[in-house]
């Protein structure tokens, strides 16, 4: 929406012109119905259940961390400042999990562009963090919180001491 000077004075809003399909690539299409719209609005952006479960497991292992660190690119879900380790817990839908992401049937082109841009943004923030000397790890929301926490603890220990207490971590650095 754009407000002209005259419209601002009158308190009116003037709609921007848009393509014939009703929405442009950068503007959100109208919702299919109010129930879908309401459901999408209720989805949490931070402190989701998978994040909370992983944070609980990491804390149980004695590690302390910052949540959604505001001074770091991408505001990592979990940030270990001494080890310079950023952990993201990615939602299967929003970050296009190869196992679980199902593309919406309605407004498919818009969703394709939206989700592709989410993944591109993930890679951009990863590069920014790496440029600042941070290690970055992404986990899917469907991964076992105990296994994720164990892997994070192993990596944390390796980053701080140079040698892991138990070198069973399945992911390479």
């Amino acid at each position: 929406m754009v407000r002209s000077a005259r419209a601002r004075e009158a308190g009116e809003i003037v709609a921007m012109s848009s393509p014939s399909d009703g929405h442009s690539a950068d503007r959100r299409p109208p919702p299919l119905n109010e129930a879908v719209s309401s459901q999408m609005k209720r989805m949490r952006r931070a402190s989701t259940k998978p994040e909370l479960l992983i944070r609980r497991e990491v804390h149980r292992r004695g590690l302390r961390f910052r949540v959604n660190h505001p001074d770091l690119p991408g505001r990592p879900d979990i940030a270990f400042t001494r080890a310079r380790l950023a952990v993201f817990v990615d939602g299967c839908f929003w970050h296009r999990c190869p196992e679980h992401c199902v593309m919406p049937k309605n407004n498919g082109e818009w969703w394709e562009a939206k989700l592709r841009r989410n993944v591109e943004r993930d890679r951009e923030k990863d590069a920014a963090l790496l440029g600042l000397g941070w290690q970055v790890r992404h986990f899917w929301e469907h991964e076992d919180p105990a296994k994720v926490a164990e892997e994070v603890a192993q990596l944390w220990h390796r980053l701080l001491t140079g040698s892991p207490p138990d070198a069973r971590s399945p992911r390479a650095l």
Side-chain angles (χ1 to χ4, degrees), residues 7 9 17 20 26 33 42 57 60 84 86 95 97 102 107 122 129 147 152 162:
E9 291 171 7
S17 61
S20 61
D26 60 338
N33 63 50
R42 286 192 309 270
E57 287 292 330
R60 186 175 291 152
R84 299 179 72 81
H95 299 272
C97 169
V102 177
N107 301 313
D122 288 345
L129 284 163
K147 288 181 181 178
V152 167

Side-chain angles (χ1 to χ4, degrees), residues 79-91:
F80 300 92
T81 54
R82 282 193 322 151
R84 299 179 72 81
L85 172 61
V87 176
F88 294 92
V89 182
D90 294 336

Side-chain angles (χ1 to χ4, degrees), residues 11-173:
E12 300 170 351
I13 297 177
V14 179
M16 292 176 26
S17 61
S18 61
S20 61
D21 68 353
H23 62 275
S24 65
D26 60 338
R27 294 184 52 86
R28 183 176 300 145
L32 180 63
N33 63 50
E34 199 53 44
V36 170
S37 179
S38 177
Q39 179 184 12
M40 295 299 277
K41 287 176 185 175
R42 286 192 309 270
M43 287 187 183
R44 296 184 66 103
R45 296 183 72 147
S47 296
T48 62
K49 185 175 181 179
E51 285 176 38
L52 294 173
L53 292 171
I54 290 170
R55 288 186 345 215
R56 184 177 301 136
E57 287 292 330
V58 168
H59 191 273
R60 186 175 291 152
R61 285 164 174 73
L63 303 182
R64 301 302 178 252
F65 48 85
R66 302 255 330 246
V67 176
N68 303 119
H69 196 309
D71 298 333
L72 294 175
R75 296 178 59 111
D77 299 320
I78 304 170
F80 300 92
T81 54
R82 282 193 322 151
R84 299 179 72 81
L85 172 61
V87 176
F88 294 92
V89 182
D90 294 336
C92 291
F93 174 73
W94 296 107
H95 299 272
R96 298 181 80 172
C97 169
E99 293 179 44
H100 300 110
C101 183
V102 177
M103 291 300 294
K105 292 181 176 78
N106 294 304
N107 301 313
E109 287 180 26
W110 184 86
W111 278 109
E112 176 66 31
K114 164 77 173 148
L115 298 179
R116 183 177 48 246
R117 181 64 189 127
N118 286 354
V119 173
E120 289 170 2
R121 193 177 308 109
D122 288 345
R123 300 298 77 84
E124 291 166 5
K125 69 183 175 192
D126 292 352
L129 284 163
L130 289 170
L132 293 172
W134 283 69
Q135 290 288 322
V136 180
R137 291 296 178 272
H138 287 263
F139 297 95
W140 293 112
E141 67 179 343
H142 64 263
E143 292 187 64
D144 178 16
K147 288 181 181 178
V148 169
E150 187 58 34
E151 184 173 334
V152 167
Q154 294 286 328
L155 180 55
W156 179 88
H157 193 277
R158 186 176 328 150
L159 290 170
L160 286 181
T161 66
S163 64
D166 181 7
R168 292 182 294 162
S169 179
R171 292 183 201 252
L173 282 175

